[in-house]
Each structure stands twice: as C-alpha cells, then as structure tokens.
C-alpha cells in the first residue's frame, strides 16, 4: 500500500562556530541521510542510544526544527502527496490536525494555567472550531476515551498523577482525529506499571481510530510490545530496518546484534551506552567509513574507508521470507556465518 509518511534522505546538520564557551568547530551531522516509510495503521519504532539523532528525526518531521535537507512526504487525507520540508507554517496549517505529537514529559507539556477542558479543546480551536457545545462535547468524549471522567475536565494539571497527565496529553493529540502521531519517549518518564496502562491505551486507540505512529524510544521492551517494524539508528543514520519479531530474534546488523546481546533479558529494558564495547564516538567527529567500525567485532579494512548504504535484504524467519534492510558491507557473510542459513 501507499506509505502514509515517507522520509527520504532527511538531513539535519548543525555548524559549530566555537566561541567563548567552546573551542569546538565543525559540523554536527545529527541526522545524516535517514530513509524510512510508515504505512497506514502501522507503528514504526525508531530506537538507538541517546544522541543517535532519533529525537531530531521526530522534530524534523513535525518541523519543530527545519531540516537542512531531504524530504518528508505525507500522503494527506484528500489523497495528495505533499513534501512538508519546504512548506511554511502557514502552508502546513491545514494539515496540522492530521499530524500530531505526544510529548515525553507529562509534567512540563501541559500548561498549568489551563483546565483540562481548555487543554483538550485547544487543538480544535486552533483548527478554527468555535462552537462551545461542540468543543465541550468533543472534550468530554475524549477524556473518556483515555480512561478519565468528564468531572476531570474542570481541574488543572497539578491535580493529576504523571500517568493521568499523559492520558490528557494523548487526548489532546487525538482530539482532532489525526492520522499520524509522532510519540517521542511517550512513556519513558512514567513508572513501569503506569507505562503498561498507557501502552495499552495507545494500542486500543490505534485500532479504534486507524492511527499510524512513529514511536521514538530508547526502551527496547516498550518498542517490542508496541511496534510493527523498527528502525535502528546509530550516529545519525539508520543501520537496520526489520519487522519487530525478526529484529529482536534474529538481528542482522552487528550494531543491532550487539544491542540485543547486551541486554540479557528484554525485560531488563533500556539501551545503556555503557553496555557495548567502546565509547559512542563524538558526533562532531564520527569515525570514517562505517561509523560503527570502532565497536564492531566484524570490522575489516573496507569498513574504515567506505560508508555502507542501507541495502535491501531478504532473510528467512519462522519459515517466512522477511524483507529487511541493513547498512553493513558484510551483511550477507555475517548472516550466513551466524546461522547456517541460505540467502534467497
Ligand atoms: Fe561492522 Fe563493517 Fe558492517 Fe560496519 S560495515 S557494521 S564495521 S562489518
């Protein structure tokens, strides 16, 4: 089917000029040629260690930051495909209702001076709705959808727990009936038991409202629970894309493999930067060739000199052919070596 969102060669480079506080100069390639697609009704996960650029990708798609290159193609409700990157805020406004965001921190993302009703109604007001009965009715419906009561509408955010606030944040994102949601570390600030409830609500509402998600997280167990496909990022690039099951049980890229092996039990959760051999390199001065070469147990000379492209690859998993992508010069050899497998 036609992708809902197609990110092509997305780039976010920052130049550092040095100065009074830092002598560092050069270009930070926070996002350096990222490609992926999100299909209708799909949850696409973006994972990686902190500093890998995943949050910047989310912000670039929403134009909270202006990308320095590439395309973000969005297939809108009325069937046209538009590139969000060159568009002005004014040009994007008609599509704002279709693309929404769920923020990480439920404590700082809700205005303390607005009631829950005002918070929920705000995106509709911004979209030009003014009828008070309509607005109230929508807010009352939404608050119940996220598992709270209409009596909560009159209260202010400080009266709620972190989990309840995140429910309000989800309600605010969904009230305009969007099609695509960017959720950046949407449950990371919450206790594990509360996380489970929020994830359940997200998957329920996804099914009910036909939503697609870009779900950005450093927490592998959350990604495993919620996502259909996953892209793994390392130093500003995607190194592997695969179905969630295949990625977790049969990682193809050496970086993904190292991540999975470094976490003995998936319930032990988060990607910690200290569990892989070697330091994450400095983003302003990344290694030449494959940026993972200083930490990769398979690295050869070629890896230091040539940047590997993200290539299509078909593996077998559970007797099925799985289409996936990996950015490694030696993907075929490593696949054959590790598993006694055949390449199709
Ligand atoms: Fe390792 Fe080389 Fe593959 Fe990079 S290209 S992941 S260094 S084997």
């Amino acid at each position: 089917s036609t992708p809902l969102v197609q990110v092509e060669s997305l780039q976010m480079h920052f130049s550092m000029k040095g100065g009074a506080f830092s002598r560092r100069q050069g270009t930070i390639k926070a996002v350096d040629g990222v490609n992926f697609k999100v299909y209708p009704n799909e949850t696409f996960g973006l994972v990686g260690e902190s500093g890998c650029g995943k949050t910047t990708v989310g912000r670039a798609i929403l134009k909270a930051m202006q990308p320095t290159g590439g395309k973000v193609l969005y297939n809108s409700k009325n069937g046209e495909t538009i590139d969000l990157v060159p568009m002005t805020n004014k040009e994007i406004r008609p599509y704002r209702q279709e693309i929404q965001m769920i923020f990480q921190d439920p404590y700082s993302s809700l205005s303390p001076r607005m009631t829950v009703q005002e918070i929920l109604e705000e995106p509709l007001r911004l979209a030009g709705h003014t009828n008070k009965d309509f607005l109230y009715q929508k807010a009352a419906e939404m608050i119940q959808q996220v598992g709270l009561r209409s009596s909560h509408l009159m209260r202010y955010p400080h009266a709620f727990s972190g989990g309840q606030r995140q429910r309000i944040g989800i309600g605010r994102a969904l009230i305009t009936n969007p099609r695509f949601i960017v959720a950046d570390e949407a449950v990371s600030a919450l206790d594990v038991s509360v996380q489970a409830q929020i994830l359940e609500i997200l998957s329920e509402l996804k099914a009910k409202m036909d939503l697609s998600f870009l779900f950005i997280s450093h927490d592998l167990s959350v990604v495993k629970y919620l996502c259909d496909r996953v892209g793994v990022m390392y130093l500003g690039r995607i190194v592997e894309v695969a179905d969630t099951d295949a990625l977790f049980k049969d990682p193809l890229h050496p970086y993904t493999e190292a991540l999975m092996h470094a976490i003995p039990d998936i319930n032990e959760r988060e990607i910690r930067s200290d569990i892989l051999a070697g330091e994450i390199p400095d983003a302003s001065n990344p290694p030449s060739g494959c940026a993972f070469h200083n930490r990769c147990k398979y690295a050869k000379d070629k890896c230091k000199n040539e940047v590997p492209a993200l290539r299509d690859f078909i593996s077998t998993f559970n007797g099925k052919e799985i289409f996936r992508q990996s950015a490694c010069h030696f993907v075929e050899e490593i696949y054959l070596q590790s598993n006694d497998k055949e390449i199709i």
Side-chain angles (χ1 to χ4, degrees), residues 42-43 61 96 108 112 158 164 181 199 239 243 267 311:
E42 184 180 50
T43 300
I61 289 175
R96 276 273 173 239
S108 65
H158 67 79
Q164 289 171 321
I181 310 277
L199 292 174
V239 295
D243 285 1
N267 297 317
R311 288 187 289 137

Side-chain angles (χ1 to χ4, degrees), residues 161-215:
S161 67
Q164 289 171 321
R165 287 182 203 214
Q166 197 55 312
R167 288 170 192 256
I168 297 165
I170 292 168
R172 177 180 56 187
L174 301 191
I175 200 159
T176 59
N177 227 344
R179 303 165 75 228
F180 181 58
I181 310 277
V182 176
D184 184 9
E185 302 285 6
V187 296
S188 305
L190 305 171
D191 291 344
V192 174
S193 60
V194 181
Q195 285 189 352
Q197 297 166 10
I198 298 291
L199 292 174
E200 206 168 302
I201 286 193
L202 286 176
S203 34
E204 253 173 45
L205 292 175
K206 179 195 165 200
K208 218 191 263 181
M209 299 177 70
D210 275 351
L211 300 169
S212 306
F213 282 91
L214 174 64
F215 194 84

Side-chain angles (χ1 to χ4, degrees), residues 253-254 290 293 296 298-299 303 308 328-330:
H253 191 279
C290 174
H293 82 246
C296 180
Y298 304 101
C303 306
C328 170
H329 292 306
F330 301 106

Side-chain angles (χ1 to χ4, degrees), residues 49-61:
E49 293 165 277
S50 65
C52 70
K54 57 192 190 304
T55 290
T56 311
V57 169
R59 297 181 64 102
I61 289 175

Side-chain angles (χ1 to χ4, degrees), residues 7 10-12 14 30-31 36 46 53-68 72 84-85 89 92 96 99-104 180-185 214 216 233:
V7 173
L10 189 69
Q11 195 191 70
M12 184 74 84
F14 303 100
V31 176
F36 64 88
L46 206 51
K54 57 192 190 304
T55 290
T56 311
V57 169
R59 297 181 64 102
I61 289 175
L62 292 162
K63 301 261 293 188
M65 290 165 111
Q66 177 61 28
T68 51
V72 176
L84 301 177
V85 171
N89 272 341
I92 286 184
R96 276 273 173 239
I99 305 172
Q100 291 282 349
M101 163 134 207
I102 298 171
F103 295 92
Q104 166 169 13
F180 181 58
I181 310 277
V182 176
D184 184 9
E185 302 285 6
L214 174 64
I216 300 168
M233 277 190 80

